[in-house]
Amino acid sequence: MTRSIIQTDKAPAAIGTYSQAVRAGDTVYVSGQIPLDPATKEMVTGGIEAEIRRVFENLKAVAEAAGGSLAHAVKVNIYLTDLAHFAKVNEIMAQYFPQPYPARAAVGVAQLPRGARVEAECILHLG
């Protein structure tokens, strides 16, 4: 099975030892995205809603660079430093992912990189 690296300037560049995404066969593993603006490389401002939207915009950009879309997502993992924001994640996620929705996990965590309050990763199936 061939493995290829996915990279786009429409999402933040990796800030560590990882790729934005890796495609293996028909499956694309998209790395966790935090609310970094790809143009400024800074965290977005405007509150938790703006942060959640930026995370999903970043995932969308990587999915598109892989030749797919968020409609191809089969699994999404969401990490929140405050689970009180879970309802807002649901509301905004429904605007980015069409039904039938992918499988999902939401996990409360103590900290995320760069002080982010939300991070999400996903797996796409392009077959």
Side-chain angles (χ1 to χ4, degrees):
M1 178 179 314
T2 49
R3 183 180 99 139
S4 58
I5 303 303
I6 309 299
Q7 192 280 325
T8 179
D9 293 336
K10 295 180 181 178
I15 56 175
T17 55
Y18 63 93
S19 299
Q20 286 175 327
V22 176
R23 182 173 181 161
D26 290 337
T27 305
V28 179
Y29 301 88
V30 181
S31 292
Q33 295 293 314
I34 60 175
L36 281 176
D37 181 314
T40 66
K41 298 177 181 37
E42 298 294 326
M43 298 290 284
V44 297
T45 58
I48 191 66
E49 183 170 338
E51 293 175 32
I52 295 166
R53 286 189 189 285
R54 182 75 257 166
V55 164
F56 288 134
E57 285 293 326
N58 291 345
L59 284 178
K60 178 181 168 188
V62 177
E64 289 172 352
S69 71
L70 293 180
H72 292 99
V74 294
K75 177 72 163 106
V76 177
N77 291 331
I78 299 171
Y79 307 94
L80 293 162
T81 59
D82 185 345
L83 288 174
H85 300 302
F86 186 66
K88 185 57 73 175
V89 167
N90 278 335
E91 175 188 324
I92 295 170
M93 184 174 169
Q95 298 168 21
Y96 283 88
F97 294 82
Q99 291 187 29
Y101 298 124
R104 183 184 73 187
V107 181
V109 298
Q111 285 184 299
L112 290 167
R114 309 246 342 237
R117 295 187 288 176
V118 60
E119 180 175 357
E121 63 181 343
C122 68
I123 300 170
L124 311 172
H125 186 262
L126 303 181

